[in-house]
Amino acid sequence: MRVILLGPPGVGKGTQGRRLATERGQALISTGDMLRDAVARQTPLGVQAKKLMDAGSLVPDDVIVGLVRERTLEPDALAGFVLDGFPRTVPQAEALDAMLAERSLKIDAAVLLTAPDEELVRRLSSRWECPECRRVFNTLTAPSKDGRRCDDHPSTELRQRADDTEETVRKRLEVYRNQTAPLVGWYRGQGKLKEVQGTGPLDDVYGALTRAVPD
Ligand code: AMP
């Protein structure tokens, strides 16, 4: 299955997508994580992307589409994949459809996760991630066992993302509304849109997600 997780920053795409992909033996493709890796390695792409990411703006479509084209050809993605953070614009969605069509493949479903803005801002400002494996913890709702280090990498200190400051979060929400939200209509028009409420206990959200996209 090839599934897109849609929704604003902080709604749980990464957390839920990681679990869905792991339990189904599929690849989790997170363009945000790919870019953060490039930033950490200080590659030319990373240097270019960092400024945009820190400002809460989007990286150019052609750059991201190129990354996803390569990533979806890797062996672990052949059985299917869960996309987190891509597509984020209508041109990206068009490019995705075209690249999959070249391979006689298609997207099976786009799941829109929803939560109120104030909840998103609250969650993002208490979000901490492991720089080693990118697992996300939340000091309010899902803290790590000792509160400071990753459960899977006990010697690694968790850190906050540079773009999780309140000002940048509000900018990212605006970018989401202007550039990404039109994708909801795009996938609804294709008959592929499913809606899942992203609030409440993580297990309940996950249950609703798996019901929305049966294996
Ligand atoms: P995320 O981890 O999905 O919240 O992404 C973090 C940042 O990476 C975004 O605010 C953008 O600057 C950039 N980014 C991630 N995915 C995309 C994409 N599909 N298109 C453009 N920029 C992206």
Side-chain angles (χ1 to χ4, degrees):
M1 248 203 149
R2 282 165 290 275
V3 174
I4 293 168
L5 294 185
L6 273 178
V11 78
K13 301 185 297 296
T15 303
Q16 299 293 344
R18 177 178 291 254
R19 181 165 170 192
L20 187 70
T22 305
E23 290 191 2
R24 294 189 174 177
Q26 300 185 335
L28 173 69
I29 301 182
S30 158
T31 45
D33 282 351
M34 291 164 80
L35 292 170
R36 277 183 289 280
D37 283 342
V39 170
R41 287 186 285 114
Q42 298 187 313
T43 64
L45 164 66
V47 173
Q48 181 198 1
K50 185 175 185 327
K51 289 193 200 86
L52 294 164
M53 294 171 77
D54 286 353
S57 306
L58 295 185
V59 170
D61 288 338
D62 56 338
V63 173
I64 290 288
V65 168
L67 280 183
V68 172
R69 180 183 296 281
E70 295 300 312
R71 181 65 186 88
T72 50
L73 286 170
E74 284 176 28
D76 67 331
L78 297 181
F81 49 75
V82 177
L83 284 169
D84 158 21
F86 179 91
R88 250 188 169 87
T89 63
V90 170
Q92 290 182 18
E94 288 170 342
L96 176 65
D97 280 354
M99 85 172 75
L100 292 178
E102 280 167 19
R103 306 172 198 165
S104 305
L105 299 174
K106 61 176 175 50
I107 290 298
D108 297 291
V111 182
L112 173 65
L113 290 169
T114 57
D117 275 11
E118 288 320 309
E119 166 85 11
L120 301 170
V121 175
R122 201 175 57 86
R123 281 188 195 179
L124 291 173
S125 47
S126 50
R127 172 162 91 168
W128 292 74
E129 74 169 17
C130 171
E132 194 72 26
C133 67
R134 304 278 175 216
R135 183 168 166 190
V136 171
F137 297 88
N138 188 296
T139 48
L140 298 177
T141 55
S144 74
K145 288 198 186 95
D146 83 349
R148 283 177 43 223
R149 284 176 290 242
C150 178
D151 291 352
D152 301 327
H153 298 90
S155 60
T156 307
E157 299 258 343
L158 302 175
R159 65 178 182 208
Q160 282 197 291
R161 278 174 43 173
D163 58 352
D164 276 349
T165 60
E166 180 158 348
E167 189 194 345
T168 311
V169 164
R170 294 208 182 270
K171 164 80 186 223
R172 286 160 62 207
L173 288 171
E174 187 192 318
V175 168
Y176 173 78
R177 268 191 294 276
N178 293 338
Q179 303 197 51
T180 308
L183 291 178
V184 173
W186 167 272
Y187 287 110
R188 188 178 283 127
Q190 292 189 6
K192 292 180 179 169
L193 190 78
K194 318 272 177 191
E195 281 192 56
V196 169
Q197 205 174 312
T199 49
L202 287 178
D203 284 346
D204 293 357
V205 176
Y206 186 69
L209 173 61
T210 51
R211 284 192 296 281
V213 285
D215 206 359

